[in-house]
Amino acid sequence: MSTHHFTRAGRLPRTRAVAATAAGAAVVLLLAGCGGDGGGGGEATDAEFNDGETGIVNPSDQTGGTLRYAISADFDSPDPGNTYYAFSWNFSRYYARTLLTYVEEPGEGGTELQPDLAEEMPEPNEDATEWTVRIKQGLTYEDGSPITAQDIKYAIARSNFGDQALPNGPKYFQDLLADSEDYEGPYADVTNPLEGFDGIETPDDHTLVFHLDQSFAEFPYVLIQPQTAPVPPDADRGEQYQSQVVSSGPYKFDGEYRPGVSLNLERNEEWDPETDPTRRALPDRIEVQIGVDQNEIDQRLVNGDLDVDLAGSGVGPAMKGTLISDEESKRNVDNPQTNTLRYVNVNTVVEPLDDLACRQAVMYAANRDSLQRAWGGDTGGDVATQIMPAALPGADPEMDPYPSENGEGDLDMARQKLEECGEPDGFTTSIGARADRPSDVSTAEALQAALARVGIDTEIKQYPSDTYTNTQAGSPDFVHENDLGLTVYGWAPDWASGYGFMSKILDGDAIQSAGNANISELDDPRINDWFDEVVTVEDQAQRADIYRQIDERAMEQAAILPAVFERTVLYRPSTLTNVYYHAGYSMYDYMSLGTTRE
């Protein structure tokens, strides 16, 4: 998922029904002063630096109060069926329940799957080409009307199928489901929106049967996606559904979502906690302010005027140094290692980067030391020389096909590659970055300076986060028209395997006209074949070896320039309760949070 998406070191979630075929043990899953209403969050606690990485800080069952979020950009969309940012997946659980979800606890336990809407874990047939999911009885929407299996099938259809399918988010169901090649999506025939959608069978109101076109041992991970949150067809308005999503969770929209301004939630009185052991629902109200400058968010967190930075990617560079260097402030800081890769896409179609040697020149000229410093040095991340995070099965931390002294770049090799691609004096291209993410911009600036050393001149072009994946970097047409040969990006696993991490950013079949995550547009036949093969392999060690080969081949093709495996600097006000870093979402678990403020 685009950081997006989830997961970090740990192991693959356990499922009772698929222990023999699912992936086995592995790793999982993609923000100084005084004043305010509590001076850093109120009364002091016994918490210390990084306690929230492996334990729960300020455990409490206290209910009530308002939990206050802010974000410098905006949601890609609060519609659960139209989102691919990790924070959106995390936050949407306030009002959108999915078939499966993660266990609510810190450490490796948080990477285990458990039922949410589902009554039990999915049941596979013998060759894992058919999966049956039964949903709980008595589930209702915010208006008291029943949630049915057909509503979940409809939700998946609107996100995955047809020319009018929602643009944001992965299309795993489109890729995996059988007998749906000719289905044109629910908007093609509004009178019979599910006619011809045979990949999912609903024999009754509480059963879904997923028919896959080939065996897929990792399928249960797909069922944690927000796309499986039910949508009543009569309420659907396509992309405008985001204005007033119909709730299946403990909170509902209080008024409409106001893009660029706010999103407020209040309690959903129709939610039945007896059917939902994963959501604590402690606050009475959730408020999100949108478009707040990052430096202001950081200051308000420390002052106690704000509870959570919604983006979940840590404080900005200015506040990071202050918090880490001050021992008292540091007690309210967590600095977890995530499985998020921060990197630069090297487009394989934009000239002259369509020539492998020109792409390799970029790889050799890059200064990995300055790229790490752009992310805040050691507290910001660990230098990355491969694509897969080290904890994922098949990852090779020793992989480094573009070595250099002190990580500062091999300029002689870069110039040699420029000669090979017919650009001995260098060339010009553009670097795309998200304007509201300071570390993204710093990464672009560091790369710009490094490439200039060998005559590669670049222009940095900045875009807003909320449209970046869909409209700019994620639109191949836009990339080509604006000469975005290089784009700063981030990625965390949709689930903890090489497939869950790499398929959407490296498989040629994943390239799409909007919301594209394979921004390098890598379409390598060997890699594509490996992705087709690996989903049918039951043996974990064999799958891991294929994932290693994919990583190695993609690095050889110079489609991705890894920068760092991110460490975030997260600040938790002392009034925030039940705070812990969730391995499944690569940030704090928003569902567990409460507040001690009045």
Side-chain angles (χ1 to χ4, degrees), residues 288-301:
V288 181
Q289 290 182 301
I290 298 169
V292 182
D293 179 79
Q294 185 65 54
N295 290 330
E296 180 182 345
I297 290 175
D298 297 345
Q299 192 66 58
R300 289 172 60 188
L301 279 172

Side-chain angles (χ1 to χ4, degrees), residues 449-496:
L451 298 183
R453 300 179 298 174
V454 295
I456 301 176
D457 295 324
T458 58
E459 177 187 359
I460 298 174
K461 298 180 178 180
Q462 301 184 37
Y463 307 100
S465 290
D466 50 309
T467 60
Y468 189 66
T469 293
N470 186 37
T471 307
Q472 289 95 30
S475 167
D477 286 346
F478 187 94
V479 166
H480 303 163
E481 291 166 4
N482 292 272
D483 193 34
L484 291 178
L486 305 166
T487 44
V488 182
Y489 209 49
W491 200 255
D494 288 351
W495 64 85

Side-chain angles (χ1 to χ4, degrees), residues 244-450:
Q244 192 84 48
V245 174
V246 179
S247 175
S248 55
Y251 298 92
K252 62 183 180 181
F253 283 32
D254 179 16
E256 292 196 346
Y257 158 59
R258 301 169 65 199
V261 181
S262 64
L263 172 60
N264 297 323
L265 307 177
E266 60 185 357
R267 288 196 182 276
N268 171 17
E269 300 300 333
E270 293 295 329
W271 171 71
D272 182 3
E274 293 297 319
T275 70
D276 192 350
T278 70
R279 292 167 176 82
R280 306 191 69 171
L282 297 177
D284 288 333
R285 183 173 176 81
I286 314 290
E287 295 182 350
V288 181
Q289 290 182 301
I290 298 169
V292 182
D293 179 79
Q294 185 65 54
N295 290 330
E296 180 182 345
I297 290 175
D298 297 345
Q299 192 66 58
R300 289 172 60 188
L301 279 172
V302 174
N303 288 353
D305 294 330
L306 191 66
D307 300 308
V308 189
D309 182 347
L310 177 60
S313 54
V315 299
M319 184 62 76
K320 186 180 296 183
T322 300
L323 295 176
I324 293 297
S325 61
D326 180 77
E327 288 302 318
E328 187 60 31
S329 298
K330 194 174 178 180
R331 295 177 58 192
N332 289 68
V333 169
D334 294 310
N335 185 213
Q337 168 70 65
T338 77
N339 267 355
T340 296
L341 174 67
R342 297 295 177 177
Y343 63 98
V344 178
N345 295 286
V346 185
N347 192 277
T348 61
V349 177
V350 172
E351 296 180 348
L353 294 168
D354 58 334
D355 189 300
L356 173 59
C358 274
R359 298 197 301 274
Q360 291 174 329
V362 171
M363 304 290 279
Y364 277 116
N367 184 330
R368 284 190 166 82
D369 178 64
S370 66
L371 290 175
Q372 185 192 34
R373 283 187 275 112
W375 280 93
D378 290 340
T379 60
D382 302 328
V383 172
T385 57
Q386 84 277 6
I387 296 170
M388 277 202 299
L392 291 181
D396 181 4
E398 301 302 316
M399 187 186 301
D400 187 5
Y402 306 97
S404 65
E405 187 174 352
N406 298 321
E408 295 179 356
D410 187 334
L411 303 189
D412 290 338
M413 281 298 298
R415 293 187 182 101
Q416 179 179 320
K417 291 296 180 180
L418 287 172
E419 289 276 357
E420 287 182 25
C421 73
E423 301 285 350
D425 298 323
F427 56 86
T428 61
T429 192
S430 299
I431 305 176
R434 287 172 279 205
D436 46 83
R437 299 197 177 185
S439 294
D440 277 25
V441 176
S442 295
T443 298
E445 293 170 344
L447 183 59
Q448 182 182 52

